[in-house]
Amino acid sequence: MNPEHYEFMVGFNPQPEERELTVLFSGEGRPIPGHKMGPSVHDYYLIHTVLTGEGHFQSGSLSQTCRAGDTFVIFPGSLFSYQADSSNPWHYAWVALQGEDVQQLFAEVGIIRGRPLQQAANVAELHHLYERIRLSFKQSAYPRLENLEASGWLRLLLCQLGLANAASLPEHSVLLPDVIELQIDQAIRWLSLQFHQQISIDQLASTLGYHRAHLSKVFKQRTGLSPKQYLLKVRMDKAQALLNGPLTIDQVATSVGYNDALYFSRHFRKWCGMSPSEFRSSLR
């Protein structure tokens, strides 16, 4: 037991990886009244969420009392200090992380250096996620899997913080792109990933809540192509790549969404000015 805490639990990542996002350690504690950390700096990111009680957080020119539901974030290289209240000391959970993508992920959920304090409505859900991160580190024979599990729970934690920001910040529209933009992005991803399926543009429009003509209009404004033209481009680009490999013409056709090889060949010739066989020969 940590003598400065009534309760103190922590789990350390046995094999943190230097990559886009990794958890270093995660814990939970109930410090004694007046317990203080800092002033100091860290070389990693550290997120704290107050579960009960209150305390005081200071970073740079920011100085604020934090209560249940508040989250404060310490950035690498930032001078900070925080202290438990003398009469109602806080109970908090924390997670330390590092990685090349952390700053971008933080920005996407509304966490920036100029605003290191957040508010969250669902304290119980956040508490659960912190606990799952900490319990990921079982000190088993599979440290890489523990690291992977902890990173997954961390992303869910960041999602919860992002949802709280989107609901509470006046400028939340900056965090959430325009609905139409999101739907067009979804349509692009759908066509780019499901090109091998028999795709109906009418069904795609209906799924997104648009008339086909309107979908085609906003899609073309974004991409320069109609959905049908975009799907054809994706299929033909993929076919050209596959023709540079060992697959037969029939296999290439079915791989890009054509059950009829002759029908595929007609589309391919119209697209690039030669048949699939002639295109393959030209590559050799």
Side-chain angles (χ1 to χ4, degrees):
M1 170 68 71
N2 187 314
E4 296 183 320
H5 289 72
Y6 297 119
E7 180 183 357
F8 186 88
M9 300 173 287
V10 65
F12 289 91
N13 191 338
Q15 195 170 330
E17 298 182 6
E18 293 289 340
R19 55 182 187 179
E20 70 277 3
L21 177 67
T22 189
V23 176
L24 299 176
F25 57 86
S26 183
E28 180 179 332
R30 290 193 304 116
I32 61 175
H35 170 262
K36 185 177 181 180
M37 293 290 291
S40 59
V41 297
H42 289 324
D43 58 0
Y44 49 81
Y45 298 86
L46 186 60
I47 306 173
H48 284 75
T49 295
V50 182
L51 305 175
T52 61
E54 58 186 84
H56 194 80
F57 171 69
Q58 183 166 349
S59 178
S61 60
L62 176 67
S63 180
Q64 187 165 328
T65 297
C66 299
R67 299 179 176 84
D70 291 338
T71 294
F72 59 91
V73 182
I74 297 167
F75 286 77
S78 295
L79 183 66
F80 72 90
S81 65
Y82 54 91
Q83 185 171 12
D85 187 73
S86 58
S87 59
N88 184 25
W90 48 20
H91 172 199
Y92 51 40
W94 65 86
V95 60
L97 58 150
Q98 66 181 14
E100 297 176 354
D101 291 350
V102 175
Q103 189 166 335
Q104 177 61 33
L105 287 171
F106 275 12
E108 290 175 1
V109 300
I111 300 174
I112 58 176
R113 283 184 182 268
R115 192 172 57 237
L117 288 172
Q118 318 292 318
Q119 289 183 325
N122 197 337
V123 179
E125 177 64 19
L126 290 177
H127 189 187
H128 170 70
L129 293 172
Y130 278 109
E131 185 176 47
R132 294 307 310 174
I133 296 171
R134 174 171 56 82
L135 295 178
S136 297
F137 305 126
K138 310 173 186 69
Q139 305 302 313
S140 70
Y142 307 100
R144 288 184 179 273
L145 296 182
E146 293 179 14
N147 179 70
L148 183 63
E149 180 183 349
S151 296
W153 289 113
L154 173 63
R155 289 179 182 274
L156 292 176
L157 177 72
L158 293 177
C159 178
Q160 285 295 318
L161 294 175
L163 290 172
N165 276 334
S168 63
L169 294 176
E171 64 272 27
H172 73 272
S173 59
V174 176
L175 299 174
L176 300 177
D178 183 85
V179 172
I180 295 178
E181 288 294 314
L182 284 175
Q183 291 178 324
I184 296 303
D185 285 341
Q186 183 179 350
I188 290 172
R189 283 193 298 272
W190 179 260
L191 295 175
S192 299
L193 295 174
Q194 299 294 316
F195 61 87
H196 57 284
Q197 301 283 357
Q198 299 303 307
I199 295 178
S200 164
I201 303 302
D202 286 331
Q203 184 179 11
L204 177 62
S206 177
T207 300
L208 296 176
Y210 289 113
H211 186 276
R212 175 171 178 155
H214 184 63
L215 173 65
S216 296
K217 178 181 178 181
V218 295
F219 193 98
K220 191 167 186 176
Q221 289 173 346
R222 172 73 178 276
T223 66
L225 300 171
S226 70
K228 186 175 181 179
Q229 292 170 332
Y230 188 88
L231 175 61
L232 177 64
K233 180 180 185 305
V234 170
R235 284 174 166 171
M236 294 299 106
D237 288 347
K238 186 63 176 178
Q240 288 178 333
L242 291 175
L243 287 168
N244 194 26
L247 297 184
T248 66
I249 303 299
D250 283 356
Q251 290 169 338
V252 170
T254 55
S255 295
V256 297
Y258 293 90
N259 293 327
D260 185 335
L262 292 177
Y263 186 63
F264 161 69
S265 295
R266 286 199 297 271
H267 275 269
F268 191 89
R269 180 184 289 277
K270 187 175 180 180
W271 177 262
C272 70
M274 62 182 79
S275 71
S277 297
E278 291 168 341
F279 179 82
R280 172 168 278 172
S281 297
S282 70
L283 295 175
R284 295 172 179 171

